[in-house]
Amino acid sequence: MQHYDVIILGAGAAGLMAAATAGQRGRRVLVLDHADAPGKKILISGGGRCNFTNIGTAPDRFLSANPHFAKSALGRYTPADFLALVEAHGIAWHEKTLGQLFCDGSARQIVAMLLDECDKAVRNGGLVDIALGKSVEAVAHDGSVFRVAHGGQVGEAPRLIVATGGPSIPKMGATGYAYDLARQFGLKVIEPRPALVPLTLGGEETLFRSLSGVASEVVARTGKTRFREAALFTHRGLSGPAILQISSYWRHGEAIGIDFLPDCAADWLIATKRATPRASLRRALGQHLPDRLAETLAERLALPPELGAATDKALVAAQARLADWPFHPNGSEGYAKAEVTVGGVSTAGLSSRTMEAKAVPGLHFVGEAVDVTGWLGGYNFQWAWASGRTAGEAV
């Protein structure tokens, strides 16, 4: 029997942050992970450079059944706090776009930093043991102590932090184990679904697959939610930052709208007709869009060869469609291509100040396992750091 103060399941971003925090508070910590290396999702993030936070982090950039839940953790551990840690370790960084911060070098620097922070536990009388390649076989609780069977051994602690993430990117070993544990202990789980994921097109819209590789800056919409970034046509449908963002809000069966010309005035096509009546729609679109996209959209709109021959009514209709072109995705590329998961352990059963289960003292859930999902661009890492820190300070 191995005796610890805290056992943490998952050696990812949230788990390592929780371990470092608890260890530096003098706690004896055991971290278990079935992977053969820590921080695997960290290593592949941001093209290998880790988009480790976003300076625009705010609670309204996270999806949750309770939009207020994330406020406490995010308010107490901010992007500036994590950035200070990055700089204290001498890691060079840069801001890319939209507040996204990346390592100049490699994502490995972030993992090394977290492991170094775990090692500092010894200075304060704590300890962080990280056991890799250890699948959890069973978790039991006798009312005061959690017992975790793993690899033929049993670890025991009065506190258990679940940081095993969600099922996105299964090739990295991701599973829905956190949800199984939550249900085992009587917690509710909000239906999980893939998020930050490419969408697929079927039916007549498969014609757009011929544009595979073409990208353009657009405004993507579903309901009242809008994102302005690049959209990318793929051999299966739609991707790119704007589509990944909107996918977190999209529900199967709903349409999404694309404004292909967000910088054009509402009456730009009529104005073009007045100025150059002999111009074709394809030529007019080509002033603003990639050639192949301009050609495809012009073909679908089927206006006369010259704008001067089109009625104003027809041009108004074309303008409206280009400003909110409806697509009807038949699905997404699923967890295999999803960066994160929407849904998860219901926040209704957790304390926002400690991440502890209200009905099971000593049991904490952090990171992607919880029903808190950020936008694309470093927000989910900031939630991992903040929620991990919150739990680490509570145990």
Side-chain angles (χ1 to χ4, degrees):
M1 184 74 70
Q2 307 164 304
H3 300 280
Y4 290 89
D5 298 313
V6 189
I7 296 176
I8 299 175
L9 306 184
L16 291 176
M17 177 59 86
T21 304
Q24 290 181 29
R25 295 178 59 244
R27 305 300 189 258
R28 291 173 53 81
V29 183
L30 172 63
V31 182
L32 299 172
D33 199 304
H34 62 201
D36 58 3
K40 280 202 160 184
K41 275 183 106 171
I42 298 174
L43 295 176
I44 66 167
S45 67
R49 290 192 172 181
C50 188
N51 178 193
F52 56 79
T53 192
N54 194 299
I55 58 176
T57 296
D60 64 359
R61 299 186 175 194
F62 293 81
L63 290 78
S64 175
N66 177 359
H68 302 291
F69 181 84
K71 289 180 178 178
S72 180
L74 293 173
R76 285 182 290 132
Y77 193 78
T78 67
D81 293 323
F82 190 78
L83 186 56
L85 184 62
V86 167
E87 292 183 333
H89 282 259
I91 299 173
W93 59 275
H94 62 278
E95 181 181 347
K96 196 172 181 181
T97 56
L98 302 174
Q100 302 170 39
L101 304 189
F102 289 77
C103 297
D104 284 359
S106 166
R108 294 186 181 278
Q109 295 172 285
I110 298 296
V111 176
M113 176 191 78
L114 293 168
L115 295 177
D116 186 47
E117 289 295 309
C118 287
D119 290 341
K120 289 180 181 178
V122 176
R123 301 179 191 175
N124 298 328
L127 173 72
V128 176
D129 284 338
I130 300 177
L132 301 170
K134 301 287 187 180
S135 293
V136 173
E137 293 143 11
V139 175
H141 185 231
D142 65 6
S144 60
V145 172
F146 292 91
R147 291 187 177 89
V148 181
H150 61 95
Q153 297 177 297
V154 178
E156 179 181 87
R159 299 278 191 168
L160 178 67
I161 298 176
V162 182
T164 53
S168 58
I169 319 185
K171 70 179 180 181
M172 303 296 296
T175 70
Y177 182 65
Y179 312 148
D180 297 336
L181 267 185
R183 293 186 184 103
Q184 176 184 330
F185 287 103
L187 278 71
K188 292 183 178 180
V189 175
I190 304 296
E191 179 189 3
R193 53 190 171 87
L196 300 183
V197 63
L199 299 177
T200 56
L201 298 175
E204 289 187 6
E205 292 176 338
T206 57
L207 295 172
F208 284 93
R209 295 181 188 174
S210 65
L211 293 174
S212 181
V214 174
S216 184
E217 184 169 334
V218 305
V219 172
R221 175 194 65 78
T222 183
K224 295 181 179 179
T225 303
R226 298 171 181 269
F227 290 97
R228 177 170 177 160
E229 288 191 72
L232 170 70
F233 289 93
T234 73
H235 67 286
R236 297 192 66 187
L238 295 166
S239 188
I243 301 303
L244 298 184
Q245 294 279 40
I246 214 70
S247 72
S248 297
Y249 295 82
W250 174 78
R251 290 285 191 167
H252 195 83
E254 294 177 348
I256 64 169
I258 302 291
D259 182 353
F260 284 110
L261 301 160
D263 290 323
C264 287
D267 63 347
W268 74 276
L269 201 47
I270 289 177
T272 303
K273 169 187 172 179
R274 304 280 189 268
T276 54
R278 300 193 64 180
S280 65
L281 176 59
R282 186 199 176 289
R283 179 181 168 190
L285 289 171
Q287 302 295 313
H288 308 280
L289 299 171
D291 286 345
R292 286 168 60 197
L293 178 56
E295 182 175 7
T296 298
L297 294 177
E299 287 175 356
R300 297 301 292 271
L301 289 168
L303 291 177
E306 296 182 356
L307 292 177
T311 65
D312 283 1
K313 181 180 179 181
L315 295 180
V316 166
Q319 287 171 167
R321 190 167 187 198
L322 289 164
D324 194 23
W325 193 289
F327 286 93
H328 300 83
N330 61 4
S332 76
E333 295 200 25
Y335 287 120
K337 295 293 179 68
E339 294 193 19
V340 291
T341 306
V342 163
V345 179
S346 173
T347 60
L350 303 176
S351 162
S352 63
R353 291 197 61 80
T354 63
M355 307 303 296
E356 186 174 17
K358 296 172 183 176
V360 189
L363 177 63
H364 304 250
F365 288 85
V366 296
E368 189 184 340
V370 180
D371 176 33
V372 175
T373 307
W375 288 2
L376 182 73
Y379 294 97
N380 289 293
F381 271 128
Q382 187 58 37
W383 170 245
W385 313 136
S387 60
R389 178 81 170 199
T390 293
E393 288 176 339
V395 296

